[in-house]
Amino acid sequence: MGSRRGDESASAESPFDKGEQLAFKEYDERVKLDDYMLGVTVALCAFLAKTNPYGPLGANPKTVLLVSLSVIALAAVCGFSRRRNMIRFLGAISQEMAPDAKQASSSYEAESQRYLRKAECKERQRNVLLALGLFLYVGARVWESYAHQGWIPVP
């Protein structure tokens, strides 16, 4: 009986409540990571805008540095868009869970899933653009280094 009583008190807190808690924790951690990534991306844009040398456009390292800055700025735009879609997702979920929304629950569920898919797409785009921007930046710096040593001809 003693073990049974322990089981009853454990079942008083339903697994659905724990599932909701885990889902909220996952959402909270995603928001923290998105905020961090967005902050780093914007700080990287500011750093590159301040430290990049600028010159005439053409087939040269300075142009590639400008392109890398533009690509990283696009990654920041994707980060903001992801945040907006995550906020809309949360709004759709809250409307879906409202007590007066029983009959329209399927439309809210479809809307929330649409915003979640958009947010995940923007996350992938942000990550790809960040990787591309950093690859371009490193490539331009290497090109610039070897161009000054005479290994790569500079037009």
Side-chain angles (χ1 to χ4, degrees):
M1 276 292 192
S3 65
R4 180 73 178 154
R5 178 177 277 176
D7 291 341
E8 288 173 11
S9 65
S11 67
E13 188 178 326
S14 72
F16 185 71
D17 292 336
K18 287 188 185 252
E20 284 180 338
Q21 290 173 356
L22 288 173
F24 180 74
K25 179 106 172 121
E26 178 192 8
Y27 177 81
D28 190 41
E29 295 300 320
R30 279 185 175 197
V31 167
K32 287 178 186 176
L33 179 63
D34 285 341
D35 287 346
Y36 176 77
M37 292 294 292
L38 189 57
V40 166
T41 304
V42 171
L44 185 59
C45 283
F47 173 76
L48 292 179
K50 183 178 180 180
T51 60
N52 277 355
Y54 297 101
L57 296 178
N60 57 42
K62 292 178 182 179
T63 301
V64 177
L65 287 172
L66 182 63
V67 170
S68 75
L69 173 61
S70 302
V71 169
I72 292 172
L74 282 174
V77 169
C78 286
F80 281 113
S81 181
R82 173 171 166 73
R83 272 302 267 149
R84 185 185 71 231
N85 283 316
M86 288 301 286
I87 290 168
R88 288 179 177 171
F89 166 72
L90 188 60
I93 289 291
S94 65
Q95 288 177 352
E96 180 182 333
M97 296 179 80
D100 60 338
K102 297 291 184 194
Q103 64 271 19
S105 179
S106 63
S107 68
Y108 288 131
E109 184 176 347
E111 183 181 7
S112 67
Q113 291 304 313
R114 184 171 50 102
Y115 286 129
L116 184 60
R117 281 192 305 274
K118 282 183 178 182
E120 289 170 350
C121 180
K122 290 299 178 184
E123 180 182 25
R124 283 190 300 274
Q125 290 173 353
R126 177 198 65 198
N127 293 343
V128 167
L129 288 171
L130 272 176
L132 179 63
L134 292 175
F135 177 75
L136 286 169
Y137 179 78
V138 169
R141 287 297 182 180
V142 168
W143 181 10
E144 189 176 47
S145 171
Y146 284 120
H148 287 305
Q149 292 180 2
W151 290 28
I152 300 173
V154 178

